[in-house]
Amino acid sequence: MSETNFNIKIIYDQMNDGKVIFTYKGDISSDLITDALNIVEEKLRNEKSKNKIKRRIYYVLVECLQNLYHHKDKPPDLINLGNNFAMFVLSKGNDSSYKISTGNFITKDKIQILKDRIDQINSLSAKELKALYKLVLNNQEFSEKGGGGLGMIDIVKRTKNKLSYKFHNFGNNDYFYMLNIKVD
Amino acid sequence: MEKISITGSPKTPFVNFNANEGLVEIKGRSIPENSIEFYKPLVDWLDLYIKSPKKMTNVNIQLEYFNTSSSKCILDVFKRLETIYKARNEVIINWFYEEDDEDMLEAGEDYESIINIPFKMVELEE
């Protein structure tokens, strides 16, 4: 299948691998985030992992959902999806690790900045991440959407795992951005 | 000064700011989509309180979760407290965390290293 007709359903199916704890695709709203976090918290109670891991999963999910809420772009006109469409999956691997995957549309102009930022964060040692975290925390700037630019730094700092990502082209200017985070 | 008293919600913390008692408390979860909107009145209140603070201000921060956009706002709160501290007033900051929550302990240590007021780290039993 070519990149241009890559299908949302196939991406979603790929994301839903392992033992799925929670999965969603559709419009993202503040209320949806509240409800999803409630359900995930309830489901995590039944998991046998340490509280420390459960807290980390919840934390990463909070950041990921905020990122989706603030930074998703609308789907291409040809695709019949809501303007606030995004997807996310929390699943458990064969080992004791968990995976959080998110997907949202993004316009081409933002890709390079995003790639550079993730690659930079992935390249840093724990000590460097902590220093960067404090530097960004302590600068007064907020982006126009209220994000502090800290989310991904803090996710990697806490999970100590690198972020993996992919961009699928959906025509000229539209891409689908997939982010995977392992929590173990 | 008017007190600030806010009940906690699934995404926003319980807040108790009381100038007469010199008490600043934030407890619970702070994960709103728009943190600035929530914290602005709190920071404004502190900007007034700075002008005539109590000799001793007790600060209790007991957060279960906070998102990174809240983390900047919480730093704004601490910066106001730092101003009070630098004006030779006593500021006692109690940073509460659950016993195995090393991430929350580390978050407190990060703040402590930025604002230069000693924190009292208080471990809570689960």
Side-chain angles (χ1 to χ4, degrees), chain A residues 25-181:
Chain A
K25 76 171 156 61
D27 276 349
I28 297 277
S29 65
S30 179
D31 287 344
L32 181 276
I33 292 175
T34 310
D35 292 346
L37 289 172
N38 273 339
I39 295 168
V40 167
E41 189 169 30
E42 193 58 43
K43 294 214 169 201
L44 285 175
R45 256 184 221 131
N46 302 324
E47 290 289 312
K48 291 197 178 85
S49 307
K50 287 182 186 164
N51 282 340
K52 191 168 85 177
I53 302 294
K54 293 183 191 181
R55 266 198 291 261
R56 230 167 244 173
I57 295 166
Y58 186 87
Y59 171 82
V60 171
L61 193 62
V62 165
E63 286 302 320
C64 286
L65 298 187
Q66 306 264 312
N67 279 343
L68 291 180
Y69 180 85
H70 287 293
H71 300 296
K72 64 193 170 332
D73 286 322
K74 75 179 187 64
D77 294 336
L78 290 172
I79 299 180
N80 187 22
L81 293 167
N83 278 351
N84 295 314
F85 179 85
M87 53 174 79
F88 58 92
V89 181
L90 166 64
S91 59
K92 194 174 182 178
N94 291 327
D95 48 10
S96 58
S97 73
Y98 295 83
K99 189 178 80 171
I100 292 166
S101 304
T102 66
N104 60 284
F105 285 99
I106 183 170
T107 50
K108 193 177 175 181
D109 54 310
K110 295 176 189 149
I111 289 181
Q112 199 56 49
I113 300 166
L114 190 54
K115 270 185 180 169
D116 289 349
R117 173 176 254 171
I118 297 174
D119 292 344
Q120 187 214 5
I121 294 169
N122 279 344
S123 73
L124 299 178
S125 67
K127 205 175 155 187
E128 289 167 330
L129 269 173
K130 195 175 171 70
L132 181 63
Y133 171 83
K134 285 204 248 179
L135 186 77
V136 177
L137 176 63
N138 200 15
N139 83 28
Q140 292 303 311
E141 284 173 32
F142 264 93
S143 75
E144 62 188 42
K145 290 174 180 169
L150 265 184
M152 288 196 292
I153 299 169
D154 206 19
I155 286 171
V156 177
K157 178 171 168 273
R158 286 176 191 243
T159 62
K160 297 168 186 72
N161 290 319
K162 299 197 185 309
L163 305 169
S164 76
Y165 63 87
K166 257 186 201 169
F167 293 95
H168 291 291
N169 184 234
F170 266 82
N172 292 339
N173 200 34
D174 300 300
Y175 284 78
F176 197 74
Y177 162 52
M178 291 166 68
L179 179 68
N180 289 314
I181 299 151

Side-chain angles (χ1 to χ4, degrees), chain B residues 3-15:
Chain B
K3 289 191 283 188
I4 296 186
S5 179
I6 303 172
T7 316
S9 80
K11 282 185 179 166
T12 54
F14 159 87
V15 177

